[in-house]
Each structure stands twice: as structure tokens, then as C-alpha cells.
Amino acid sequence: MAKQFTTPVVIGLEVHVELDTETKLFCSCSRRSAEGEQPNTRCCEVCLGMPGSKPVLNKKAIEYALRLCLAFACDIDQELIFSRKSYFYPDLAKNFQISQFERPLGKHGKISLSDGSTIGITRIHLEEDPASLVHESKYVLVDYNRSGNPLCEIVTEPDMESPEQAREFMKKLNTILGYLAVFHHQHCVIKADANVSIKESGYVRSEIKNVTGFKEIERALFYEVVRQKRAIADGETLVQDTRGWNAEKGTTYRMRTKETEADYGYILDADLVPIDITEEMVSKVLHSMPELAEAKKKKFIEKHHIAELDAEVLSQEKKLAELFERVAEQINPILAAKWLRRELVRVMNYNKQTFDDLAIDETHMIELLSMVEKKEITDQVAQKILEELIVKPFSPKEHVREKGLQAVSDTGELEKACKQVVFENPSVVKEFKSGNEKSFQFLVGQVMRKTQGKADPRMVNELLKKLL
Amino acid sequence: MATVPSISETISQFKRKDITVEEHTAKALDEAKKLNQDYFYYNVISEDLALDQARALDKKAAKQGIQESREKLFGIPLAVKDSICVKGIESSAGSRMLKGYFPVFNATVVQRAMNQGCVVIGKTAQDEFGFGAFSVNVGLGFAIPRNPFDKQRTTGGSSGGGVGITQKTGYAYASFVESTGGSIVEPASFCSVAGICPTYGRLSRYGLIDFSNSMDKIGTAAKTIQDAALLLEASAGHDNRDSTSSASPVPQYTSFVGKPVRGMRVGIIKEAFGEGVDPGVAASVRKGIEWLEQQGAQCDEVSLELPIKYGIPTYYLLGTSEASTNLAKYCGMRYGAADPLEGNFNSYFTKVRSHHFSEEVKRRIMLGTFARMAGFRDAYYLKAAKVREKMLQEYKHLFSTYDALVSPTVAIQPPTFSEIEKLTPLQHYMMDMLCVGPNITGLPHLNVPLPFSKGLPVGMMLIGDHFQESKLIQLGSAVEEQAMKHKAIQQ
């Protein structure tokens, strides 16, 4: 099997995405944890696996899983069938997990990366989350609050040739999840198992289990490739193993070797009747889906003629992309792209804001940029306004009028300010004249200060040069 | 023995104020306790719950006027098979593994029966998790129920306690029983009571402790088909907590009791009268068929090959496969039996399961686990699922012509316990040969008590197409009426 590989690194991922449904996959318990929640308070007879209880499928989860299948261009099965995956483990309420086996909801999907390569999606299926184990005191405690949460498992082909590709795949997945509104970045968990091997070892595979979070998955992959390469360089022989990820140390560690093929004794779960996935159902989901990032990017380039990199960045976040689309209807798209991609993102990062909680009003954004476009305000003033706008909404137009922040275009007024600065800073002027360029910038800054940033820096430059 | 009043006669007694529900319940409880000393029909007698329910019914009746009570089963004692959950009442499915399991919810059917005025007397004895045909495979520490006509003989199983009390009681009773491979009609035949195993999905399974999810069916037993049909119609119907429960409308089953059978077509399963069938049983069933013909039903011999030939292996492959996953949850962690915490999880649950499951349970877990292992799945579990489809096709073909099929319920009469001891597990499994077919395919079937042979009960089984319980009730009650006349003449 390993013979077919030729690339330096081979990576395959199994990603578990927790779906942002109101309730759990098979009962009406809330999926979302409450603030300060006590263990084992968000569970019922079904998610505890009490004798006599029966699972009933959450319809929303089907819709969400279908969205994911469609986003990855999967073939969708005509029936949704659940199986029991049997193994004894203390986090399983029933000692079997309700999952899908022979017939996953979606298979044969794919996604393209920016370097033109295609990553195959082997399968996408629905399953229930086990409980969480709490290692405390000399016992392991079990908290069933999470038990029964809906997970969508996305399995890729071992098509990724570098951790960078894997990182891009995860980034694309993240973007898709954001667009589809099936995953909440704060309230849902994403986990991955990764298969990693390198050419030098003849593709001896290590499986890293259960890495939580986008950043950690990336870190673990980068670490693991380096570890394997170093081991070979040190003359070691790699053996197939299963590894854990220590997020604190940033290292993987061996859990077990000689993985015998687990036999889960899959049988159908007869408590859950097969659900017909009709063409109508699929097309309804398809039509309810937003335009995805790839399509948006293409549109931005073709329709708005903005740079590819700008289009790429703007399309990554659904909110940003939609804001851009609306703004670009009224403002020069190139100007809009520059402001949204660079300035808005910069200001948001500074404020540690994410797009999930971005509250900026598009009319305010349009007002602001339209003043920039008409050169009614300077970039500097606009930047300041944006910084405030992100914290609380207000009309930039009124704000400019009230505070008198209009750009100073009156040459006479500007000249007066320049003269004053030259008069007030004789020593700096002297330094400039003896060849210190920095002194000139200082003088420009002083003029800007005097005019509260309202002056056009280019005009100030010209005037000062003339004066000196 | 004085004749026992029917459910409707008992409700009339309440309405005439001859007796209060509390008084009636107290008597039924006394009887249950007394009978339990010799016959062991109940695993738990829920005295407090029963009396609370009875008092509540009396109070409600006093408030609104007893004549205004519309409950179909007002004040009627209800026996519930141990595997069917009753809130707050130990529900162990006859297993020591579940000793101490007090469900936090009622099974849907129990709740519906309660809403119709039933008073829960207790949880009835059964083979552990339903694994048996004689109620001798009871869990460790449980007593084996005795046949009401001969204490040395079996009640049949696995719903032995439920049918036993239904026969032995002197009161109108309703009983919830359960069948996976024949556990309603087979014991009903051995104890001479009416037992209805409805179509799979007709009654909600919510609250039933699983044996085999694709085959488990809750059903009803009573002294008469009328009363069994009454409990069926009170508890049937869609339940959104059981995805497999059917949304098809529930007919008024009791209205089919005594309806003329003229022109109905009945197929006599030829293979079910062949070798191994007790001649007395065959003769009695033939008599029952004659009664149907006399009333104008057209009865022809038909052949039914697959279910008779492959029914038992198919049933055991599917049943044990599913059971082995259903029983995995019993590991001494959340409910039921527990042992002192020692060692890691694997050694702990291994100890708990070794300790609290009986022999037959372990046998079935091993069989089922084997049948679904990679490498064997295709040959066993998946093949059995295909055979089930084929069987259903054979039945469906017959139902395109016939309203019902008829056969003896069991080939023999209730054996003695010493006879049972001599049986190999395989012979034990063969006991269900005639009734596994409809059970595997989810078809409704009914046991009609027939005149005794050699002083012991005989039963006739009627099998119908999916959701055709009404036809079985119609045909069954026609036979029942003649059987009762026959009995009256004999006495």
C-alpha cells in the first residue's frame, strides 16, 4: 500500500467537527454547555444509555452534515443509516458508539488547494460524541454532559504532501465551516487524528490521536514531520505507532505500537430507522447554502477586478466578504478592498476582535469610505474613525462634521500652519538644512498635529519644501 | 372455579360502586403475594405504587362522579413484564445485573395504560433479558415461575410470569408482555391465555429493555381476546420517542371481536403439522380450524418453507448479534449491579459481567459477538439479514391470497422441569420453531387457547400481514367462542 507514495511527506487527516445544533444528536438535551455548568447535569436517560431508552435523530444534524458533504462535493448516499461501533471504553455510555459504517452520508469528495493540488475526501459521516473523562484523584471520573453531541467526521485521503498543505486544508475547512454556519468557533470543538509518514522511512505511519483545535493540529503535524526526519537522520528505524499530542510541551509521544486492526463488530442500529435522503432534500439544502469562499473570490476578481491576494483574504471570512460586496457596490472596489483587507483587519486584530463578534454597520463603513474616496477626509482621520467605529457604532459623516475633521484643502490655511511650524522649530530647520532628512519628517508631523491630521501629507510635503 | 369478570364487567362493578378501586387493588395485591409463594409470577410487587394509583382513581371518580370516568381500563390491575420500565419500580429484565435499577421514566405503553386507568401490580418473571422459552433461564437469584395447571411444568417463556398470573388470577387483568422470537404466544399457549404479539412498531418500544431491537415487540395478554385487544388499543400508536413506532392509525381492535368470519381466507401451514408435532396438539388445532370453516371461513393448506427451515438459525444470528451490543452497556458503572472498585476499567467490567450474568446470557453474548466479527459478518449476520428479507417475501406472497395463516403455536404441550433439564441448548432453541417466523419478519400473531389435550393447554397461532391485527382478532375470537362453549359442555 505504501509503495504508491512518492512525495517526501504523506499526511491524511480524520477531522471531527462538533456541529452547532441546539440539541444533542439523539435526545433533546442542550448541546451547548452553560456557564459554570456542573458535571453530569446536562444529560438524560438517552445520552446516559439507561436501559429502556431509545435514540431519536436530530433532524438539524442531517441538514448540517449535508451542507458539509455538499461543500466538499461529495456523492451523497440515498439513505442515512446508523451503525453501532462496539468497543468497551469508560467514556461510552452504551459501550458502543452510534456512528456510520458501510454507507457514510457522503463520500468521494474533494477540495482544491492554492497550489493547484486536490485533496480527496474519503468520507463524511455523522456520529455521537462520547462523554469526557476527568482525571482527578486516583479515579477517572466521567462527565456525560458532552455525551451524545453531534459530530461530523471528515476523512481525507492521504493526499497532503506537507504540513503546509495540511495547514491550508485546515484553513479551508475552517473557512467552509464559517460560511456554512454549522460550527461555532467558540462553542464547538474541532479535533483531528492525523496519519503522518515520510519517504525516508519508506512511509512508516504514525497516527497522532485526538489533537484539539486548528492551531494545535498544525503544530502537531509540523512537529511530527520534524521528529520523523530527525529520527531517520539519527539512524533510527521508525515503527508504526499511535501517538498522543502534548500541547504543553508541543511534542508527540508514543501511546502504543503494533496496532492490531480493531474489530468493532459493526451492526446496524435498528433503533434508528433508515432516513431517505431525497433529491428534494439535498437540493433544498443546496439552495439554502450561501455562496462559498472559492466562488466569492472568483467573483471578486472577475467582477470587481481586485488583486488576487486581496480577493483571497476578503473571501476567507463570510462576514468580511459580505461586507466587501455591499461596500463595493457604492465605493471603488479597489479602495474598498484596501480598506477592508488591510485597515479593518488591522484594527480588529489590535482590538482582538473576531469576525464572529464584528458589529460594524455597513452604512457606516460606506459613509466612511465614501469620504475617503472623495478626499473629504485624510487616511489618517479615517483610520482613527475606524478604530472608534469598531468599538461602538456612530455616523462617521456626522462625527467628521461635529469635530471639524474635514481635510484641509485650503492652501492658504495650510501654508499658514507650515510657516508657523518653521518659525517655532528653528533648530530642527537648521538640522534639516545641514542634511538630516529625519528632521523634515518631524516638521511634517508637527504640521499634521497642528491640523489634527486633517491635512493632506503630500501637500504639506510640498509646501514645507517650498518654504525651506 | 367461579367465572372471572371481564375488564368491562369489572369497570361496571366500580361504576355501580360495588367495590372501590382501592379495595379491588388491595385484593389483587393480596392474591399476587399469595400466588407468588408457590408460583413466582412476580419479580417485584409494586404495592405502594398500585395503592397510590388506586386511591388517585377513586378520588378522581369521587370528584367528577364515577359515571363520568372514561378511562378504558379504569382500575384494572396491570402486570408488566420485568423488561418494561416502570418509573421508580425496580426493572431488572430478570437479571441480577440490573438489580437496583429504578428507571427514571415510564415506558410509553405503561404511561398510556396508566392514563387509561390501569393500576400497576408489579413486574413479572421472565427469562433473563428474554433469553429462553421456558422461563427457566432466570437471572441469578430469581425464582422460576410455575405453570398454573401443574406446578411441575413450565409456564413457557420468556413472558412466563405475565401469562401465568393472567391465567391464575381471579380478577380481570391486563398484562404487558414482550416477544422477540415467540415469547408472547408460546407461553400464552402453555398457560392457555389470549396473547397478542402485534406488528413490529405497532406499540412503542420506548422503555423496553432491549434484547434485539429489530425484533422486540411489546404485546398484550389477557384471559380473553377481547381484553387483550382492549389493552392493545389503549397503548398502540405512534410515539416520537421511538423512531420505529408506526404512525399508521390505530383501529378499534375490540370492535372486531365476534365479527363474522364468513368469506375470510385462512392458510393452514402444512409443515407445522408434520413430524415432531404432538398428535393431541395437532388434533386440537384441527378442531379449531373446523370451527372456522363451520362459520364460513375458507381454509386451505399452504406451504411455508423458509421460516420453518431457516427461522431458528436466522433468529439466533440476528437476535444474538443485536443482544451482544445491547448488553454491552452493563458494566457496573451507572446503574444496577456493581462490585467494589478494583483494578482498571477492563478488569472491573469483566469481573462485573462474569459475576452477574448467568450462563445463557454469556452464551448469547459470545454467539452474537462472534457472528458480527470482521470476517464472519458476511457469512452470518449479513446473510441472516438477507434470509429475513426472503422469508418476508414468502409470507407476503401468501398474504396476497390469505387473511391469516394458522398453525399450532407450539408443537408440544408444556414440559416438566425435569424434561427441560434434559434438553440441549439447541433443543431448547427449537421450541420456537413455529413462532420465530412471524417474529423475525415483524408480522402480528395471536395465540388462541383451545380445548385441552391430556389435561394440558393447547394453543392455536394465527399470523397476519403487517398491521392486520384486526383480522387476527376477528378470526381468533370466532375460535375462542367455540372453545369456550366446548369447555362449558365438558364441565
Side-chain angles (χ1 to χ4, degrees), chain A residues 45-46 48-56 84 86 88-90 92-96 101-102 139 142 144 263-268 270-273, chain B residues 85 98 101 105 205-210 213-214 240-241 243-244 321-322 325-326 328-331 333-335 341 345 349 353 372-374 377 381:
Chain A
E45 67 241 34
V46 177
L48 284 170
M50 293 280 206
S53 68
K54 307 271 180 285
V56 174
R84 293 178 169 183
S86 294
F88 280 81
Y89 205 71
L92 285 178
K94 304 177 286 289
N95 284 319
F96 62 78
F101 181 53
E102 288 104 330
Y139 297 111
V142 188
Y144 292 89
D263 189 343
Y264 295 116
Y266 283 99
I267 60 167
L268 298 183
D271 282 339
L272 292 156
V273 287
Chain B
C85 290
L98 279 175
Y101 174 53
F105 57 96
R205 287 183 298 117
Y206 197 85
L208 172 66
I209 297 173
D210 304 310
N213 317 60
S214 73
N240 57 20
R241 292 191 300 174
S243 313
T244 64
S321 291
E322 291 181 19
T325 64
N326 285 322
K329 65 173 71 159
Y330 306 124
C331 58
M333 255 180 81
R334 291 166 294 267
Y335 37 73
L341 281 179
F345 179 61
F349 81 70
R353 288 164 71 82
R372 60 188 169 83
M373 267 166 62
R377 275 177 93 241
Y381 170 71

Side-chain angles (χ1 to χ4, degrees), chain B residues 303-322:
Chain B
S303 181
L304 186 73
E305 281 178 44
L306 284 178
I308 306 278
K309 221 168 160 184
Y310 299 116
I312 294 285
T314 305
Y315 168 70
Y316 276 93
L317 284 171
L318 294 174
T320 57
S321 291
E322 291 181 19

Side-chain angles (χ1 to χ4, degrees), chain A residues 18-32 42 56-61 64 145-151:
Chain A
E18 184 184 353
L19 299 176
D20 187 23
T21 52
E22 292 284 327
T23 56
K24 292 183 178 181
L25 189 52
F26 298 117
C27 62
S28 56
C29 288
S30 173
R31 185 199 59 78
R32 294 178 187 135
R42 183 163 44 91
V56 174
L57 181 61
N58 178 345
K59 294 261 155 59
K60 204 75 192 166
Y64 284 11
N145 284 347
R146 201 183 74 187
S147 175
N149 277 354
L151 301 180

Side-chain angles (χ1 to χ4, degrees), chain A residues 211-229:
Chain A
V211 191
T212 303
F214 285 97
K215 276 263 146 13
E216 294 301 310
I217 294 165
E218 201 182 306
R219 281 179 70 206
L221 288 171
F222 275 89
Y223 172 84
E224 182 59 19
V225 169
V226 171
R227 181 194 70 84
Q228 292 187 12
K229 286 189 171 164

